[in-house]
Amino acid sequence: MTGAEALARAIPRLRSAGVEGAGRDARLLLAHALDMPSDRLILILPEVVPPVALARFDAAITDRALRKPLSQIVGYRMFWGRSFTVTADVLDPRPETETLVAAALRQPFATVLDLGTGSGAILLSLLADRPDAQGLGTDLSPAALAVAEGNAHRLSVPNAKFLQSGWFAAVHGRFDLIVSNPPYIAAAEMAALAPEVRNWEPAMALTPGGDGLDAYRAITGAVAGHLATGGRLLVEIGPTQGAAVQAMFRAAGLVGVNVMTDFDHRDRVVQGFAAPL
């Protein structure tokens, strides 16, 4: 079977399973099965696909038809210009989260804490761009921390350390910058999520239950004891949560509180500063 024939058979399978961008995903999965860059795939479509690669491709298409995320099938996701290992133990890093990274890098910092680090995408992106800084990533999940540590090693980011902790529970010291993309989906919203998210990503990283705001309550309730003078707190939010999270920031004594929007002009990041002494 040629590459073109394999695609012609696979794309309708994905479409019938409700996969958006079925053609794009099929091409990416075929390139992955052939262990080649996707931009070279067109050159080999008339050629016969080796049996081993064809078996890999069929297995990948079966997984994608079950709505397994593409990143979990190929094992990585591009984020902030780097490739991060992704498994079912961590959130799939999303492009809108780059809004937080861009905002964090607008001002200098020597120390950074990433609460709920997951794959480490935020922390490692910051430290790779600020190699003189030191960073700590925390997560409740040992499996997630293993993914983050693996990404730090693979991306050669030696200035990142990791710690198992629920928010600030095991954290000591103060930081110039504290960042987090915490679980913020309300319990009532979970059923409406795409199957790729609802069925395949870790629930504890998606929702805290209830109104979706408990993580922000926990973070803002303890942040004053961990921000250095003039330090910043930046958190990712859901697009309807800006007003509520801003109010929590102000109640925690943070100043200069503002909301930043993502590339779709949706509220995405709340920022606040430690009040001067």
Side-chain angles (χ1 to χ4, degrees), residues 27-46:
R27 289 188 292 272
L28 290 172
L29 291 173
L30 181 56
H32 175 68
L34 290 164
D35 194 24
M36 66 183 303
S38 58
D39 59 2
R40 294 189 60 241
L41 183 65
I42 192 170
L43 301 176
I44 60 87
L45 287 182

Side-chain angles (χ1 to χ4, degrees), residues 6-154:
L7 285 178
R9 186 175 67 173
I11 291 171
R13 288 179 62 193
L14 296 185
R15 285 178 178 154
S16 66
V19 174
E20 293 186 13
R24 174 204 62 207
D25 284 9
R27 289 188 292 272
L28 290 172
L29 291 173
L30 181 56
H32 175 68
L34 290 164
D35 194 24
M36 66 183 303
S38 58
D39 59 2
R40 294 189 60 241
L41 183 65
I42 192 170
L43 301 176
I44 60 87
L45 287 182
E47 299 177 10
V48 173
V49 179
V52 172
L54 188 60
R56 289 181 65 194
F57 180 57
D58 284 342
I61 291 297
T62 296
D63 281 346
R64 190 69 187 99
L66 292 172
R67 306 300 291 273
K68 187 174 184 177
L70 186 69
S71 60
Q72 289 185 22
I73 299 171
V74 302
Y76 71 91
R77 164 73 79 170
M78 294 301 297
F79 181 85
W80 201 249
R82 298 176 180 91
S83 173
F84 287 86
T85 296
V86 173
T87 73
D89 297 307
V90 299
L91 281 186
D92 188 351
R94 290 161 169 82
E96 54 266 29
T97 301
E98 293 184 349
T99 306
L100 190 155
V101 174
L105 289 170
R106 288 188 190 119
Q107 297 185 30
F109 57 88
T111 55
V112 54
L113 170 65
D114 180 17
L115 297 168
T117 196
S119 67
I122 294 172
L123 179 68
L124 298 176
S125 295
L126 294 173
L127 293 177
D129 281 13
R130 296 287 186 272
D132 292 333
Q134 298 296 316
L136 174 65
T138 70
D139 207 289
L140 265 179
S141 166
L145 290 172
V147 174
E149 288 172 346
N151 277 322
H153 177 74
R154 194 169 54 81

Side-chain angles (χ1 to χ4, degrees), residues 177-195:
L177 174 65
I178 298 176
V179 296
S180 184
N181 178 15
Y184 56 71
I185 299 170
E189 297 172 336
M190 288 292 289
L193 295 178

Side-chain angles (χ1 to χ4, degrees), residues 184-243:
Y184 56 71
I185 299 170
E189 297 172 336
M190 288 292 289
L193 295 178
E196 287 86 347
V197 178
R198 185 180 66 248
N199 298 336
W200 292 94
E201 297 196 55
M204 68 179 290
L206 292 170
T207 179
D211 63 2
L213 297 171
D214 280 355
Y216 304 115
R217 296 184 180 104
I219 292 169
T220 56
V223 72
H226 295 280
L227 269 180
T229 301
R232 293 179 290 154
L233 171 65
L234 292 95
V235 298
E236 181 169 331
I237 61 169
T240 65
Q241 296 172 326

